[in-house]
Amino acid sequence: MSMTRRLFELCGTDPARIFSPYCWRIRMALAHKGLEFEAMPWRFTDKQALAFAGHDKVPVLQDGDRAVGDSWEIAKYLDAAYPDAPALLRGNPDPYVFINAWTDTVLHAGLARLIVSDIPPLLDEADRVYFVQSREARFGKTLAEVTAGREERLPAFRASLLPLRHALRGRDFLGGAAPDYADFIVFGGFMWARVVSALDLLEPEDAVHAWRQRMLGLFGGMAGATPAMTA
Amino acid sequence: MSMTRRLFELCGTDPARIFSPYCWRIRMALAHKGLEFEAMPWRFTDKQALAFAGHDKVPVLQDGDRAVGDSWEIAKYLDAAYPDAPALLRGNPDPYVFINAWTDTVLHAGLARLIVSDIPPLLDEADRVYFVQSREARFGKTLAEVTAGREERLPAFRASLLPLRHALRGRDFLGGAAPDYADFIVFGGFMWARVVSALDLLEPEDAVHAWRQRMLGLFGGMAGATPAMTA
């Protein structure tokens, strides 16, 4: 069996423009564990490329003869397969489930209503058609309508981050003194926004802003060096 | 030194009507660890009773010659002092900080706007004066104004529980198959509401309702047997 490690990640026309928040969780997780990987740029309509793994969404991690889909399953797999590398779900995965749930239902939902209309211009034509049709069906309106008036809605979005702000009081990371998978879960949402949208989500004096800067600098500035729409 | 274990807990005129959400976290935590304790009913204006501990708020745990205040500090103390009893913060306390932050900033804030006006009738006169004055100052309006129209605001409150609902998908407890401190953190808020208010917060078909029922039944039905305003 080959010992190749490959991460299939959602991107736009530019293969460096990785924007799925779930893919970012795993990209950061692999760096945290010190595991090299080959980036496999993937687009929404390229279902066939994942058929080997029995999945139709990314992230998919191919690790030698194993293929694992779903970011949460991949995180658990990495801790089980590489117990000597720094843990992602330290001690016990259960309390991280709530952080996952908040991120999926509050942070991502709030971000989508601010940035979803910025995504289509970054996509190949086939992906653009798929994305616009599926998202307009989900929202029941055009993507321009979804994000209309977004500048006026920024204060409400920022207020929705209050639990995050409180959880960072007196700590550099959600993981405490050092980042762990809690940080990667939440940071994925901010990378999604950063790669696709020029909208300034955070005020510079916000503790969440300072935390995001620390996250951008991790692993030699890996996330910060990714092509983005915001500085 | 005496080896007495005492928990100072906020109550109303009726000493059995324990209603502070932070005290409920520790009441459940002590039961989880199988630690007996003497309940010390405490009222807002009885600052002198806590002077021995150097605190002016409850919960305060007196454990032999130790006195510990602040629910989070007490939870960490209990795990450190009783490592052979079931853990509260299993494996690693850090991810529980976010659950704490969400509960304090979203759940408690939402509950206060629904139930705070139900509290004064349950209090002694001195406590009632203190409570009404301090809370009206905090909200900048009368407590009746704070909770006005609450029935119409219940759908928005229930929507704010979406992260909790998601985190319970496929699991009986936030701790997974068995409860842990994550459950006690969140449940404290629901006990606060249950003890002081007749308002029906949850719809019977809500997964959060089913979880609350499981919590009420723990430890021989300890929480469920506490005098409450709702069935």
Side-chain angles (χ1 to χ4, degrees), chain A residues 124-167:
Chain A
D124 280 349
E125 187 180 348
D127 265 29
R128 192 160 56 239
V129 170
Y130 161 81
F131 184 83
V132 171
Q133 287 183 346
S134 61
R135 269 52 177 183
E136 288 189 349
R138 187 183 298 174
F139 285 105
K141 55 178 91 171
T142 69
L143 300 189
E145 287 168 339
V146 171
T147 60
R150 60 186 180 180
E151 283 80 6
E152 290 70 47
R153 293 188 281 106
L154 275 172
F157 170 76
R158 290 167 181 157
S160 78
L161 305 179
L162 188 57
L164 183 55
R165 209 166 281 127
H166 267 239

mmCIF file of all heavy atoms in Angstrom, chain A residues 124-167:
data_model
loop_
_atom_site.group_PDB
_atom_site.id
_atom_site.type_symbol
_atom_site.label_atom_id
_atom_site.label_comp_id
_atom_site.label_asym_id
_atom_site.label_seq_id
_atom_site.Cartn_x
_atom_site.Cartn_y
_atom_site.Cartn_z
ATOM 1 N N ASP A 124 -15.250 28.114 -10.839
ATOM 2 C CA ASP A 124 -15.397 27.662 -12.227
ATOM 3 C C ASP A 124 -16.870 27.726 -12.624
ATOM 4 O O ASP A 124 -17.741 27.656 -11.769
ATOM 5 C CB ASP A 124 -14.970 26.191 -12.338
ATOM 6 C CG ASP A 124 -13.462 26.041 -12.410
ATOM 7 O OD1 ASP A 124 -12.778 27.059 -12.579
ATOM 8 O OD2 ASP A 124 -13.000 24.900 -12.279
ATOM 9 N N GLU A 125 -17.112 27.721 -13.942
ATOM 10 C CA GLU A 125 -18.500 27.889 -14.360
ATOM 11 C C GLU A 125 -19.409 26.755 -13.855
ATOM 12 O O GLU A 125 -20.500 27.001 -13.351
ATOM 13 C CB GLU A 125 -18.615 27.990 -15.888
ATOM 14 C CG GLU A 125 -20.047 28.347 -16.267
ATOM 15 C CD GLU A 125 -20.261 28.480 -17.770
ATOM 16 O OE1 GLU A 125 -19.264 28.526 -18.509
ATOM 17 O OE2 GLU A 125 -21.428 28.543 -18.177
ATOM 18 N N ALA A 126 -18.941 25.510 -13.975
ATOM 19 C CA ALA A 126 -19.792 24.387 -13.538
ATOM 20 C C ALA A 126 -20.089 24.499 -12.043
ATOM 21 O O ALA A 126 -21.229 24.303 -11.599
ATOM 22 C CB ALA A 126 -19.110 23.057 -13.843
ATOM 23 N N ASP A 127 -19.068 24.810 -11.251
ATOM 24 C CA ASP A 127 -19.259 24.954 -9.814
ATOM 25 C C ASP A 127 -20.164 26.138 -9.493
ATOM 26 O O ASP A 127 -20.974 26.084 -8.567
ATOM 27 C CB ASP A 127 -17.908 25.151 -9.106
ATOM 28 C CG ASP A 127 -17.353 23.835 -8.579
ATOM 29 O OD1 ASP A 127 -17.664 22.788 -9.193
ATOM 30 O OD2 ASP A 127 -16.620 23.848 -7.568
ATOM 31 N N ARG A 128 -20.018 27.196 -10.282
ATOM 32 C CA ARG A 128 -20.806 28.395 -10.025
ATOM 33 C C ARG A 128 -22.298 28.102 -10.200
ATOM 34 O O ARG A 128 -23.118 28.487 -9.375
ATOM 35 C CB ARG A 128 -20.352 29.522 -10.959
ATOM 36 C CG ARG A 128 -20.910 30.881 -10.591
ATOM 37 C CD ARG A 128 -20.082 32.009 -11.216
ATOM 38 N NE ARG A 128 -19.972 31.893 -12.650
ATOM 39 C CZ ARG A 128 -18.818 31.792 -13.327
ATOM 40 N NH1 ARG A 128 -17.658 31.797 -12.705
ATOM 41 N NH2 ARG A 128 -18.824 31.707 -14.632
ATOM 42 N N VAL A 129 -22.613 27.409 -11.261
ATOM 43 C CA VAL A 129 -24.013 27.052 -11.501
ATOM 44 C C VAL A 129 -24.543 26.189 -10.358
ATOM 45 O O VAL A 129 -25.606 26.441 -9.795
ATOM 46 C CB VAL A 129 -24.158 26.313 -12.850
ATOM 47 C CG1 VAL A 129 -25.560 25.717 -13.000
ATOM 48 C CG2 VAL A 129 -23.838 27.263 -14.000
ATOM 49 N N TYR A 130 -23.764 25.174 -9.992
ATOM 50 C CA TYR A 130 -24.174 24.279 -8.894
ATOM 51 C C TYR A 130 -24.347 25.060 -7.597
ATOM 52 O O TYR A 130 -25.344 24.924 -6.881
ATOM 53 C CB TYR A 130 -23.122 23.174 -8.697
ATOM 54 C CG TYR A 130 -23.225 22.518 -7.349
ATOM 55 C CD1 TYR A 130 -24.172 21.516 -7.119
ATOM 56 C CD2 TYR A 130 -22.424 22.917 -6.282
ATOM 57 C CE1 TYR A 130 -24.299 20.926 -5.869
ATOM 58 C CE2 TYR A 130 -22.545 22.341 -5.030
ATOM 59 C CZ TYR A 130 -23.472 21.343 -4.825
ATOM 60 O OH TYR A 130 -23.609 20.781 -3.587
ATOM 61 N N PHE A 131 -23.380 25.918 -7.292
ATOM 62 C CA PHE A 131 -23.380 26.627 -6.012
ATOM 63 C C PHE A 131 -24.565 27.585 -5.917
ATOM 64 O O PHE A 131 -25.293 27.606 -4.918
ATOM 65 C CB PHE A 131 -22.061 27.392 -5.842
ATOM 66 C CG PHE A 131 -21.934 28.078 -4.514
ATOM 67 C CD1 PHE A 131 -21.496 27.390 -3.400
ATOM 68 C CD2 PHE A 131 -22.273 29.422 -4.371
ATOM 69 C CE1 PHE A 131 -21.391 28.012 -2.159
ATOM 70 C CE2 PHE A 131 -22.169 30.053 -3.140
ATOM 71 C CZ PHE A 131 -21.726 29.338 -2.036
ATOM 72 N N VAL A 132 -24.740 28.372 -6.959
ATOM 73 C CA VAL A 132 -25.817 29.369 -6.919
ATOM 74 C C VAL A 132 -27.179 28.683 -6.827
ATOM 75 O O VAL A 132 -28.029 29.064 -6.007
ATOM 76 C CB VAL A 132 -25.735 30.304 -8.149
ATOM 77 C CG1 VAL A 132 -26.973 31.198 -8.222
ATOM 78 C CG2 VAL A 132 -24.460 31.155 -8.079
ATOM 79 N N GLN A 133 -27.386 27.642 -7.639
ATOM 80 C CA GLN A 133 -28.691 26.969 -7.601
ATOM 81 C C GLN A 133 -28.949 26.323 -6.244
ATOM 82 O O GLN A 133 -30.032 26.464 -5.674
ATOM 83 C CB GLN A 133 -28.769 25.903 -8.708
ATOM 84 C CG GLN A 133 -28.914 26.524 -10.096
ATOM 85 C CD GLN A 133 -29.063 25.477 -11.190
ATOM 86 O OE1 GLN A 133 -28.808 24.301 -10.971
ATOM 87 N NE2 GLN A 133 -29.463 25.919 -12.372
ATOM 88 N N SER A 134 -27.953 25.612 -5.702
ATOM 89 C CA SER A 134 -28.189 24.893 -4.441
ATOM 90 C C SER A 134 -28.362 25.865 -3.279
ATOM 91 O O SER A 134 -29.210 25.668 -2.410
ATOM 92 C CB SER A 134 -27.055 23.912 -4.172
ATOM 93 O OG SER A 134 -25.820 24.597 -4.056
ATOM 94 N N ARG A 135 -27.599 26.954 -3.259
ATOM 95 C CA ARG A 135 -27.689 27.912 -2.143
ATOM 96 C C ARG A 135 -28.943 28.777 -2.254
ATOM 97 O O ARG A 135 -29.556 29.124 -1.244
ATOM 98 C CB ARG A 135 -26.442 28.779 -2.065
ATOM 99 C CG ARG A 135 -25.356 28.208 -1.168
ATOM 100 C CD ARG A 135 -25.013 26.782 -1.512
ATOM 101 N NE ARG A 135 -23.928 26.236 -0.707
ATOM 102 C CZ ARG A 135 -23.429 25.010 -0.875
ATOM 103 N NH1 ARG A 135 -23.940 24.174 -1.784
ATOM 104 N NH2 ARG A 135 -22.437 24.581 -0.116
ATOM 105 N N GLU A 136 -29.310 29.145 -3.468
ATOM 106 C CA GLU A 136 -30.552 29.922 -3.595
ATOM 107 C C GLU A 136 -31.751 29.072 -3.177
ATOM 108 O O GLU A 136 -32.685 29.572 -2.554
ATOM 109 C CB GLU A 136 -30.711 30.445 -5.027
ATOM 110 C CG GLU A 136 -29.711 31.569 -5.325
ATOM 111 C CD GLU A 136 -29.942 32.277 -6.646
ATOM 112 O OE1 GLU A 136 -30.754 31.791 -7.475
ATOM 113 O OE2 GLU A 136 -29.302 33.324 -6.843
ATOM 114 N N ALA A 137 -31.692 27.767 -3.484
ATOM 115 C CA ALA A 137 -32.773 26.874 -3.045
ATOM 116 C C ALA A 137 -32.807 26.805 -1.519
ATOM 117 O O ALA A 137 -33.860 26.821 -0.896
ATOM 118 C CB ALA A 137 -32.582 25.482 -3.641
ATOM 119 N N ARG A 138 -31.630 26.760 -0.896
ATOM 120 C CA ARG A 138 -31.553 26.653 0.563
ATOM 121 C C ARG A 138 -32.098 27.910 1.236
ATOM 122 O O ARG A 138 -32.821 27.847 2.225
ATOM 123 C CB ARG A 138 -30.090 26.412 0.970
ATOM 124 C CG ARG A 138 -29.900 26.129 2.434
ATOM 125 C CD ARG A 138 -28.428 25.970 2.787
ATOM 126 N NE ARG A 138 -27.786 24.854 2.111
ATOM 127 C CZ ARG A 138 -26.473 24.583 2.160
ATOM 128 N NH1 ARG A 138 -25.659 25.357 2.863
ATOM 129 N NH2 ARG A 138 -25.968 23.555 1.528
ATOM 130 N N PHE A 139 -31.705 29.085 0.698
ATOM 131 C CA PHE A 139 -32.116 30.349 1.324
ATOM 132 C C PHE A 139 -33.492 30.815 0.860
ATOM 133 O O PHE A 139 -34.105 31.681 1.488
ATOM 134 C CB PHE A 139 -31.090 31.449 1.017
ATOM 135 C CG PHE A 139 -29.821 31.337 1.799
ATOM 136 C CD1 PHE A 139 -28.643 30.892 1.215
ATOM 137 C CD2 PHE A 139 -29.786 31.693 3.147
ATOM 138 C CE1 PHE A 139 -27.459 30.803 1.946
ATOM 139 C CE2 PHE A 139 -28.614 31.617 3.882
ATOM 140 C CZ PHE A 139 -27.441 31.157 3.276
ATOM 141 N N GLY A 140 -33.941 30.289 -0.293
ATOM 142 C CA GLY A 140 -35.230 30.742 -0.816
ATOM 143 C C GLY A 140 -35.193 32.152 -1.378
ATOM 144 O O GLY A 140 -36.220 32.831 -1.463
ATOM 145 N N LYS A 141 -34.012 32.630 -1.743
ATOM 146 C CA LYS A 141 -33.866 33.952 -2.364
ATOM 147 C C LYS A 141 -32.534 33.997 -3.102
ATOM 148 O O LYS A 141 -31.722 33.067 -2.974
ATOM 149 C CB LYS A 141 -33.959 35.061 -1.315
ATOM 150 C CG LYS A 141 -32.994 34.942 -0.159
ATOM 151 C CD LYS A 141 -33.109 36.101 0.823
ATOM 152 C CE LYS A 141 -34.095 35.834 1.943
ATOM 153 N NZ LYS A 141 -34.069 36.826 3.014
ATOM 154 N N THR A 142 -32.313 35.042 -3.871
ATOM 155 C CA THR A 142 -31.024 35.154 -4.557
ATOM 156 C C THR A 142 -29.926 35.437 -3.539
ATOM 157 O O THR A 142 -30.182 35.961 -2.444
ATOM 158 C CB THR A 142 -31.026 36.296 -5.597
ATOM 159 O OG1 THR A 142 -31.078 37.548 -4.907
ATOM 160 C CG2 THR A 142 -32.223 36.195 -6.550
ATOM 161 N N LEU A 143 -28.689 35.114 -3.917
ATOM 162 C CA LEU A 143 -27.582 35.319 -2.974
ATOM 163 C C LEU A 143 -27.352 36.806 -2.716
ATOM 164 O O LEU A 143 -26.953 37.193 -1.612
ATOM 165 C CB LEU A 143 -26.320 34.629 -3.491
ATOM 166 C CG LEU A 143 -26.465 33.115 -3.692
ATOM 167 C CD1 LEU A 143 -25.109 32.481 -3.983
ATOM 168 C CD2 LEU A 143 -27.135 32.441 -2.506
ATOM 169 N N ALA A 144 -27.625 37.631 -3.715
ATOM 170 C CA ALA A 144 -27.525 39.083 -3.503
ATOM 171 C C ALA A 144 -28.542 39.536 -2.459
ATOM 172 O O ALA A 144 -28.263 40.423 -1.646
ATOM 173 C CB ALA A 144 -27.735 39.827 -4.821
ATOM 174 N N GLU A 145 -29.719 38.933 -2.502
ATOM 175 C CA GLU A 145 -30.729 39.277 -1.488
ATOM 176 C C GLU A 145 -30.307 38.801 -0.100
ATOM 177 O O GLU A 145 -30.579 39.461 0.911
ATOM 178 C CB GLU A 145 -32.084 38.667 -1.875
ATOM 179 C CG GLU A 145 -32.761 39.377 -3.054
ATOM 180 C CD GLU A 145 -33.950 38.608 -3.615
ATOM 181 O OE1 GLU A 145 -34.045 37.379 -3.392
ATOM 182 O OE2 GLU A 145 -34.772 39.246 -4.297
ATOM 183 N N VAL A 146 -29.654 37.650 -0.056
ATOM 184 C CA VAL A 146 -29.224 37.115 1.251
ATOM 185 C C VAL A 146 -28.281 38.093 1.948
ATOM 186 O O VAL A 146 -28.395 38.341 3.150
ATOM 187 C CB VAL A 146 -28.531 35.741 1.085
ATOM 188 C CG1 VAL A 146 -27.900 35.284 2.403
ATOM 189 C CG2 VAL A 146 -29.512 34.690 0.574
ATOM 190 N N THR A 147 -27.337 38.653 1.196
ATOM 191 C CA THR A 147 -26.315 39.503 1.833
ATOM 192 C C THR A 147 -26.655 40.994 1.766
ATOM 193 O O THR A 147 -25.862 41.814 2.238
ATOM 194 C CB THR A 147 -24.929 39.269 1.189
ATOM 195 O OG1 THR A 147 -24.999 39.578 -0.204
ATOM 196 C CG2 THR A 147 -24.468 37.829 1.376
ATOM 197 N N ALA A 148 -27.809 41.329 1.237
ATOM 198 C CA ALA A 148 -28.192 42.752 1.150
ATOM 199 C C ALA A 148 -28.174 43.393 2.538
ATOM 200 O O ALA A 148 -28.614 42.785 3.515
ATOM 201 C CB ALA A 148 -29.589 42.869 0.530
ATOM 202 N N GLY A 149 -27.652 44.604 2.619
ATOM 203 C CA GLY A 149 -27.637 45.338 3.890
ATOM 204 C C GLY A 149 -26.660 44.761 4.897
ATOM 205 O O GLY A 149 -26.795 44.962 6.099
ATOM 206 N N ARG A 150 -25.639 44.070 4.400
ATOM 207 C CA ARG A 150 -24.773 43.359 5.349
ATOM 208 C C ARG A 150 -23.976 44.281 6.241
ATOM 209 O O ARG A 150 -23.714 43.939 7.400
ATOM 210 C CB ARG A 150 -23.856 42.395 4.603
ATOM 211 C CG ARG A 150 -22.924 43.019 3.578
ATOM 212 C CD ARG A 150 -22.207 41.899 2.843
ATOM 213 N NE ARG A 150 -21.275 42.401 1.840
ATOM 214 C CZ ARG A 150 -20.542 41.599 1.073
ATOM 215 N NH1 ARG A 150 -20.647 40.291 1.206
ATOM 216 N NH2 ARG A 150 -19.711 42.106 0.179
ATOM 217 N N GLU A 151 -23.584 45.437 5.755
ATOM 218 C CA GLU A 151 -22.828 46.358 6.619
ATOM 219 C C GLU A 151 -23.663 46.724 7.863
ATOM 220 O O GLU A 151 -23.124 46.812 8.961
ATOM 221 C CB GLU A 151 -22.427 47.624 5.861
ATOM 222 C CG GLU A 151 -21.246 47.448 4.920
ATOM 223 C CD GLU A 151 -21.642 46.805 3.582
ATOM 224 O OE1 GLU A 151 -22.861 46.610 3.353
ATOM 225 O OE2 GLU A 151 -20.738 46.478 2.782
ATOM 226 N N GLU A 152 -24.948 46.910 7.664
ATOM 227 C CA GLU A 152 -25.820 47.277 8.792
ATOM 228 C C GLU A 152 -26.007 46.107 9.747
ATOM 229 O O GLU A 152 -26.389 46.302 10.913
ATOM 230 C CB GLU A 152 -27.195 47.731 8.289
ATOM 231 C CG GLU A 152 -27.202 49.067 7.562
ATOM 232 C CD GLU A 152 -26.518 48.999 6.196
ATOM 233 O OE1 GLU A 152 -26.819 48.048 5.432
ATOM 234 O OE2 GLU A 152 -25.655 49.852 5.899
ATOM 235 N N ARG A 153 -25.776 44.898 9.270
ATOM 236 C CA ARG A 153 -25.961 43.721 10.128
ATOM 237 C C ARG A 153 -24.686 43.283 10.833
ATOM 238 O O ARG A 153 -24.704 42.337 11.623
ATOM 239 C CB ARG A 153 -26.553 42.569 9.304
ATOM 240 C CG ARG A 153 -27.989 42.879 8.846
ATOM 241 C CD ARG A 153 -28.682 41.692 8.180
ATOM 242 N NE ARG A 153 -28.268 41.497 6.796
ATOM 243 C CZ ARG A 153 -27.466 40.524 6.370
ATOM 244 N NH1 ARG A 153 -27.009 39.632 7.227
ATOM 245 N NH2 ARG A 153 -27.135 40.426 5.092
ATOM 246 N N LEU A 154 -23.581 43.966 10.527
ATOM 247 C CA LEU A 154 -22.324 43.583 11.180
ATOM 248 C C LEU A 154 -22.376 43.693 12.704
ATOM 249 O O LEU A 154 -21.856 42.810 13.391
ATOM 250 C CB LEU A 154 -21.161 44.418 10.630
ATOM 251 C CG LEU A 154 -20.526 43.890 9.343
ATOM 252 C CD1 LEU A 154 -19.519 44.907 8.800
ATOM 253 C CD2 LEU A 154 -19.825 42.548 9.592
ATOM 254 N N PRO A 155 -22.976 44.741 13.279
ATOM 255 C CA PRO A 155 -23.001 44.789 14.749
ATOM 256 C C PRO A 155 -23.706 43.580 15.370
ATOM 257 O O PRO A 155 -23.247 43.053 16.389
ATOM 258 C CB PRO A 155 -23.763 46.096 15.041
ATOM 259 C CG PRO A 155 -23.488 46.952 13.842
ATOM 260 C CD PRO A 155 -23.458 46.000 12.673
ATOM 261 N N ALA A 156 -24.788 43.116 14.747
ATOM 262 C CA ALA A 156 -25.482 41.936 15.279
ATOM 263 C C ALA A 156 -24.602 40.695 15.143
ATOM 264 O O ALA A 156 -24.563 39.844 16.040
ATOM 265 C CB ALA A 156 -26.815 41.735 14.566
ATOM 266 N N PHE A 157 -23.895 40.589 14.019
ATOM 267 C CA PHE A 157 -22.976 39.460 13.859
ATOM 268 C C PHE A 157 -21.898 39.495 14.943
ATOM 269 O O PHE A 157 -21.610 38.487 15.593
ATOM 270 C CB PHE A 157 -22.324 39.479 12.469
ATOM 271 C CG PHE A 157 -21.198 38.492 12.343
ATOM 272 C CD1 PHE A 157 -21.469 37.136 12.201
ATOM 273 C CD2 PHE A 157 -19.875 38.909 12.389
ATOM 274 C CE1 PHE A 157 -20.432 36.213 12.117
ATOM 275 C CE2 PHE A 157 -18.834 37.995 12.303
ATOM 276 C CZ PHE A 157 -19.111 36.646 12.164
ATOM 277 N N ARG A 158 -21.324 40.662 15.142
ATOM 278 C CA ARG A 158 -20.270 40.773 16.162
ATOM 279 C C ARG A 158 -20.823 40.442 17.550
ATOM 280 O O ARG A 158 -20.141 39.815 18.363
ATOM 281 C CB ARG A 158 -19.671 42.179 16.140
ATOM 282 C CG ARG A 158 -18.844 42.427 14.871
ATOM 283 C CD ARG A 158 -18.505 43.883 14.667
ATOM 284 N NE ARG A 158 -17.744 44.060 13.431
ATOM 285 C CZ ARG A 158 -17.664 45.196 12.754
ATOM 286 N NH1 ARG A 158 -18.303 46.283 13.192
ATOM 287 N NH2 ARG A 158 -16.956 45.260 11.645
ATOM 288 N N ALA A 159 -22.041 40.844 17.831
ATOM 289 C CA ALA A 159 -22.651 40.519 19.129
ATOM 290 C C ALA A 159 -22.823 39.012 19.284
ATOM 291 O O ALA A 159 -22.704 38.472 20.389
ATOM 292 C CB ALA A 159 -24.001 41.222 19.267
ATOM 293 N N SER A 160 -23.058 38.312 18.174
ATOM 294 C CA SER A 160 -23.252 36.859 18.253
ATOM 295 C C SER A 160 -21.967 36.118 18.626
ATOM 296 O O SER A 160 -22.005 34.939 18.962
ATOM 297 C CB SER A 160 -23.786 36.316 16.919
ATOM 298 O OG SER A 160 -22.733 36.197 15.953
ATOM 299 N N LEU A 161 -20.841 36.838 18.561
ATOM 300 C CA LEU A 161 -19.559 36.232 18.922
ATOM 301 C C LEU A 161 -19.243 36.363 20.405
ATOM 302 O O LEU A 161 -18.144 35.997 20.848
ATOM 303 C CB LEU A 161 -18.418 36.875 18.110
ATOM 304 C CG LEU A 161 -18.568 36.847 16.589
ATOM 305 C CD1 LEU A 161 -17.369 37.540 15.938
ATOM 306 C CD2 LEU A 161 -18.704 35.417 16.070
ATOM 307 N N LEU A 162 -20.182 36.861 21.190
ATOM 308 C CA LEU A 162 -19.924 37.104 22.611
ATOM 309 C C LEU A 162 -19.416 35.853 23.345
ATOM 310 O O LEU A 162 -18.473 35.959 24.143
ATOM 311 C CB LEU A 162 -21.185 37.673 23.274
ATOM 312 C CG LEU A 162 -21.042 38.158 24.714
ATOM 313 C CD1 LEU A 162 -19.957 39.221 24.859
ATOM 314 C CD2 LEU A 162 -22.370 38.685 25.244
ATOM 315 N N PRO A 163 -19.994 34.664 23.097
ATOM 316 C CA PRO A 163 -19.447 33.484 23.801
ATOM 317 C C PRO A 163 -17.973 33.245 23.478
ATOM 318 O O PRO A 163 -17.188 32.863 24.351
ATOM 319 C CB PRO A 163 -20.309 32.326 23.283
ATOM 320 C CG PRO A 163 -21.570 32.960 22.799
ATOM 321 C CD PRO A 163 -21.173 34.323 22.283
ATOM 322 N N LEU A 164 -17.595 33.475 22.239
ATOM 323 C CA LEU A 164 -16.207 33.313 21.832
ATOM 324 C C LEU A 164 -15.315 34.320 22.559
ATOM 325 O O LEU A 164 -14.240 33.981 23.079
ATOM 326 C CB LEU A 164 -16.139 33.509 20.312
ATOM 327 C CG LEU A 164 -14.828 33.321 19.598
ATOM 328 C CD1 LEU A 164 -14.232 31.953 19.884
ATOM 329 C CD2 LEU A 164 -15.034 33.515 18.092
ATOM 330 N N ARG A 165 -15.789 35.554 22.598
ATOM 331 C CA ARG A 165 -15.053 36.628 23.272
ATOM 332 C C ARG A 165 -14.851 36.289 24.757
ATOM 333 O O ARG A 165 -13.765 36.465 25.305
ATOM 334 C CB ARG A 165 -15.877 37.909 23.112
ATOM 335 C CG ARG A 165 -15.125 39.195 23.080
ATOM 336 C CD ARG A 165 -16.053 40.312 22.582
ATOM 337 N NE ARG A 165 -16.203 40.279 21.134
ATOM 338 C CZ ARG A 165 -17.369 40.250 20.477
ATOM 339 N NH1 ARG A 165 -18.520 40.294 21.140
ATOM 340 N NH2 ARG A 165 -17.388 40.192 19.172
ATOM 341 N N HIS A 166 -15.915 35.811 25.395
ATOM 342 C CA HIS A 166 -15.813 35.450 26.817
ATOM 343 C C HIS A 166 -14.876 34.268 27.027
ATOM 344 O O HIS A 166 -14.108 34.243 27.980
ATOM 345 C CB HIS A 166 -17.200 35.098 27.372
ATOM 346 C CG HIS A 166 -17.882 36.273 27.989
ATOM 347 N ND1 HIS A 166 -18.291 36.301 29.304
ATOM 348 C CD2 HIS A 166 -18.217 37.466 27.465
ATOM 349 C CE1 HIS A 166 -18.869 37.468 29.558
ATOM 350 N NE2 HIS A 166 -18.845 38.185 28.467
ATOM 351 N N ALA A 167 -14.955 33.292 26.121
ATOM 352 C CA ALA A 167 -14.130 32.095 26.285
ATOM 353 C C ALA A 167 -12.649 32.412 26.120
ATOM 354 O O ALA A 167 -11.798 31.655 26.589
ATOM 355 C CB ALA A 167 -14.550 31.015 25.294
#
